[in-house]
Amino acid sequence: MNPNVIYALGAAALFGASTPLAKALGLNLSPILLAGLLYLGSGLGLTLARLIRDRRWQPSGLTLSEWPWLIGAIAFGGIIGPVALMFGLTLTSGATASLLLNLESVLTAVLAWVVFKENADRRIVAGMLAIVLGGLLLAWPQDSAQSLGWIGPLLVALACACWAIDNNLTRKVSASDALFIAGIKGLVAGVVNCFLALALGAKLPHATVLVPTLLVGFLGYGVSLVLFVLALRGLGTARTGAYFSTAPFLGAAIAILLLGEPVTITFWAASLLMGLGVWIHLTERHAHEHQHVALAHRHRHVHDEHHQHEHSFQWDGTEPHSHEHEHTPLRHAHPHFPDIHHRHKH
């Protein structure tokens, strides 16, 4: 299997499990504080991992033009999105919220196609339509007398929109160090949300709640985001979002099996529609003759057909490795995704 697909599915599994666990841990916490602690756990854990990996602090490697993309990603994906989700979870069952998170992949793809001009084909569009129908079915209030029936799902949908913007902005810097990107997002988002929550009167939880919450954040938001960035690098935004849309199924299963939440006919019908959409995405194949333009950048790579270059330093033959390198113009045909080397027009 393509390792980038494994990265995307791994990110989905970790994030999907975090949603119902965050709901269980945050029953007595401010939603803003819970979001802050989850991201703080992500940022602290990934920063420590990066220090251990590099044995000291290393520069980010981002260029001046890339920082606005990362700052925008942090604002939407690290601050606004998680706060909206945590408030939504207080008004929505964990299973329903988990499946509604499939809307993130739809909105991510729409932005990728419309704003960032990423390629789309009929299979991807058909899969997205199935996911949208499933999301609408889940969001429909079961009791017409409940005037707040739409608020929870709408807040979860808002979180999905924020993360869709985040995903597309992060794609712009996905060739850079994934640990740095995910770690700095966690630290900034965690500090901002925790400070805001404490300023509004929230209190830090006891260590028996604080430590598990930070751990869930490290795994479900931190490690998951690192894998997601690696997948973005290799699959492009829409396809990575499609694979990532498997996350809510795991989250829903945990909510039902471990938290004892009820299962309804609506839930199963929505699951069927969303499952169909995910299957269509997973079986998509894209191949045609295409032109590579001259390109210079830095990322971890092996010397495959896209990386035939000389080295300006003494190379010991270790792969994969990372350094500044140039791509010469090339025309060929093979199955591919809109990764960092295949962002061409069709």
Short mmCIF file of all heavy atoms in Angstrom, two decimals, residues 15 20 24 52 64 69 76 97 126 137 147 179 192 217-218 229 244 258 274 304 308 321 330:
data_model
loop_
_atom_site.label_atom_id
_atom_site.label_comp_id
_atom_site.label_asym_id
_atom_site.label_seq_id
_atom_site.Cartn_x
_atom_site.Cartn_y
_atom_site.Cartn_z
N PHE A 15 -7.30 10.56 15.23
CA PHE A 15 -8.23 11.66 15.45
C PHE A 15 -9.64 11.16 15.72
O PHE A 15 -10.36 11.70 16.56
CB PHE A 15 -8.24 12.59 14.24
CG PHE A 15 -9.13 13.79 14.43
CD1 PHE A 15 -8.76 14.81 15.29
CD2 PHE A 15 -10.35 13.90 13.76
CE1 PHE A 15 -9.58 15.91 15.48
CE2 PHE A 15 -11.17 14.99 13.95
CZ PHE A 15 -10.78 16.01 14.82
N PRO A 20 -14.76 11.02 20.75
CA PRO A 20 -15.58 10.59 21.88
C PRO A 20 -14.83 10.60 23.20
O PRO A 20 -15.42 10.84 24.26
CB PRO A 20 -16.00 9.16 21.50
CG PRO A 20 -14.97 8.70 20.54
CD PRO A 20 -14.56 9.93 19.77
N ALA A 24 -15.91 12.54 26.67
CA ALA A 24 -15.97 11.91 27.99
C ALA A 24 -15.11 12.65 29.01
O ALA A 24 -15.51 12.86 30.15
CB ALA A 24 -15.52 10.46 27.89
N ILE A 52 14.18 15.82 20.85
CA ILE A 52 14.86 14.53 20.99
C ILE A 52 15.39 14.06 19.64
O ILE A 52 16.52 13.58 19.52
CB ILE A 52 13.89 13.48 21.59
CG1 ILE A 52 13.55 13.87 23.04
CG2 ILE A 52 14.51 12.09 21.54
CD1 ILE A 52 12.49 12.99 23.65
N LEU A 64 9.97 33.09 4.19
CA LEU A 64 9.16 34.22 4.64
C LEU A 64 7.77 34.18 4.02
O LEU A 64 6.77 34.52 4.67
CB LEU A 64 9.87 35.53 4.28
CG LEU A 64 9.24 36.82 4.83
CD1 LEU A 64 9.25 36.80 6.36
CD2 LEU A 64 9.99 38.04 4.30
N TRP A 69 0.75 31.44 5.45
CA TRP A 69 -0.08 30.24 5.31
C TRP A 69 -0.17 29.49 6.63
O TRP A 69 -1.25 29.03 7.03
CB TRP A 69 0.50 29.32 4.23
CG TRP A 69 0.60 29.92 2.87
CD1 TRP A 69 1.74 30.23 2.19
CD2 TRP A 69 -0.49 30.29 2.00
NE1 TRP A 69 1.44 30.75 0.96
CE2 TRP A 69 0.08 30.80 0.81
CE3 TRP A 69 -1.87 30.23 2.11
CZ2 TRP A 69 -0.70 31.25 -0.26
CZ3 TRP A 69 -2.65 30.67 1.05
CH2 TRP A 69 -2.06 31.18 -0.11
N PHE A 76 -7.36 29.22 12.09
CA PHE A 76 -8.60 28.51 11.77
C PHE A 76 -8.62 27.11 12.38
O PHE A 76 -9.62 26.70 12.98
CB PHE A 76 -8.79 28.42 10.25
CG PHE A 76 -9.29 29.68 9.63
CD1 PHE A 76 -8.41 30.55 9.00
CD2 PHE A 76 -10.63 30.01 9.67
CE1 PHE A 76 -8.87 31.73 8.42
CE2 PHE A 76 -11.11 31.18 9.10
CZ PHE A 76 -10.22 32.05 8.47
N ALA A 97 -21.68 13.45 16.35
CA ALA A 97 -20.62 14.42 16.10
C ALA A 97 -19.47 13.77 15.34
O ALA A 97 -18.90 14.37 14.42
CB ALA A 97 -20.11 15.00 17.41
N ALA A 126 -18.72 12.17 -6.63
CA ALA A 126 -19.80 11.27 -6.22
C ALA A 126 -19.63 10.85 -4.77
O ALA A 126 -20.61 10.79 -4.00
CB ALA A 126 -19.81 10.04 -7.13
N LEU A 137 -28.42 13.96 6.93
CA LEU A 137 -29.32 13.03 7.62
C LEU A 137 -29.04 13.02 9.12
O LEU A 137 -29.97 13.01 9.95
CB LEU A 137 -29.15 11.63 7.03
CG LEU A 137 -30.16 10.56 7.47
CD1 LEU A 137 -31.57 10.99 7.10
CD2 LEU A 137 -29.82 9.23 6.82
N SER A 147 -35.90 22.99 19.92
CA SER A 147 -35.49 24.18 19.18
C SER A 147 -33.98 24.28 19.04
O SER A 147 -33.48 24.99 18.17
CB SER A 147 -36.01 25.44 19.90
OG SER A 147 -35.51 25.51 21.23
N LEU A 179 6.88 17.76 11.95
CA LEU A 179 6.90 17.90 13.42
C LEU A 179 6.84 19.35 13.83
O LEU A 179 6.15 19.71 14.80
CB LEU A 179 8.15 17.24 14.00
CG LEU A 179 8.07 15.76 14.37
CD1 LEU A 179 9.40 15.30 14.95
CD2 LEU A 179 6.95 15.49 15.36
N VAL A 192 -3.24 29.99 23.55
CA VAL A 192 -4.30 30.99 23.34
C VAL A 192 -5.62 30.52 23.93
O VAL A 192 -6.29 31.28 24.66
CB VAL A 192 -4.45 31.28 21.83
CG1 VAL A 192 -5.71 32.12 21.57
CG2 VAL A 192 -3.22 32.01 21.30
N GLY A 217 -4.69 14.68 23.58
CA GLY A 217 -4.31 15.74 22.66
C GLY A 217 -3.05 15.43 21.88
O GLY A 217 -2.96 15.67 20.68
N PHE A 218 -2.05 14.87 22.58
CA PHE A 218 -0.79 14.52 21.92
C PHE A 218 -1.00 13.50 20.81
O PHE A 218 -0.49 13.66 19.70
CB PHE A 218 0.20 13.98 22.96
CG PHE A 218 1.44 13.38 22.35
CD1 PHE A 218 2.31 14.14 21.60
CD2 PHE A 218 1.72 12.03 22.55
CE1 PHE A 218 3.45 13.58 21.03
CE2 PHE A 218 2.85 11.46 21.99
CZ PHE A 218 3.72 12.24 21.23
N VAL A 229 -0.02 15.83 7.73
CA VAL A 229 0.85 16.67 6.91
C VAL A 229 1.67 15.82 5.94
O VAL A 229 1.84 16.18 4.77
CB VAL A 229 1.78 17.52 7.81
CG1 VAL A 229 2.83 18.24 6.98
CG2 VAL A 229 0.97 18.54 8.62
N PHE A 244 -9.02 10.65 5.22
CA PHE A 244 -9.20 11.08 6.61
C PHE A 244 -10.66 10.97 7.04
O PHE A 244 -10.96 10.90 8.23
CB PHE A 244 -8.71 12.51 6.77
CG PHE A 244 -8.56 12.96 8.19
CD1 PHE A 244 -7.50 12.51 8.97
CD2 PHE A 244 -9.48 13.83 8.77
CE1 PHE A 244 -7.34 12.92 10.28
CE2 PHE A 244 -9.34 14.25 10.08
CZ PHE A 244 -8.27 13.78 10.84
N LEU A 258 -18.08 1.99 23.99
CA LEU A 258 -17.50 2.30 25.28
C LEU A 258 -18.31 3.29 26.11
O LEU A 258 -18.31 3.23 27.33
CB LEU A 258 -16.07 2.85 25.09
CG LEU A 258 -15.07 1.90 24.41
CD1 LEU A 258 -13.68 2.53 24.40
CD2 LEU A 258 -15.03 0.55 25.12
N MET A 274 -22.21 7.45 4.22
CA MET A 274 -20.84 7.92 4.39
C MET A 274 -19.84 6.82 4.04
O MET A 274 -18.79 7.08 3.44
CB MET A 274 -20.63 8.41 5.82
CG MET A 274 -21.36 9.70 6.12
SD MET A 274 -21.01 10.31 7.79
CE MET A 274 -21.73 11.95 7.67
N ASP A 304 13.87 8.51 -6.74
CA ASP A 304 12.97 7.84 -7.67
C ASP A 304 13.00 8.57 -9.01
O ASP A 304 13.89 9.39 -9.26
CB ASP A 304 11.56 7.79 -7.08
CG ASP A 304 11.03 9.17 -6.70
OD1 ASP A 304 11.60 10.18 -7.17
OD2 ASP A 304 10.04 9.23 -5.94
N GLN A 308 16.08 12.75 -9.72
CA GLN A 308 17.34 12.38 -10.34
C GLN A 308 18.21 13.63 -10.39
O GLN A 308 18.15 14.43 -11.32
CB GLN A 308 17.10 11.83 -11.75
CG GLN A 308 16.26 10.57 -11.79
CD GLN A 308 16.94 9.40 -11.08
OE1 GLN A 308 18.15 9.23 -11.15
NE2 GLN A 308 16.14 8.61 -10.36
N HIS A 321 16.43 11.15 2.51
CA HIS A 321 17.19 12.24 3.11
C HIS A 321 16.56 13.55 2.65
O HIS A 321 15.68 13.58 1.80
CB HIS A 321 18.67 12.17 2.74
CG HIS A 321 18.94 12.25 1.26
ND1 HIS A 321 20.17 12.15 0.72
CD2 HIS A 321 18.10 12.41 0.19
CE1 HIS A 321 20.12 12.26 -0.60
NE2 HIS A 321 18.87 12.41 -0.94
N LEU A 330 10.02 17.65 -17.09
CA LEU A 330 9.88 16.24 -17.42
C LEU A 330 8.45 15.96 -17.84
O LEU A 330 7.51 16.46 -17.22
CB LEU A 330 10.25 15.39 -16.19
CG LEU A 330 9.98 13.89 -16.26
CD1 LEU A 330 10.91 13.23 -17.28
CD2 LEU A 330 10.16 13.25 -14.89
#
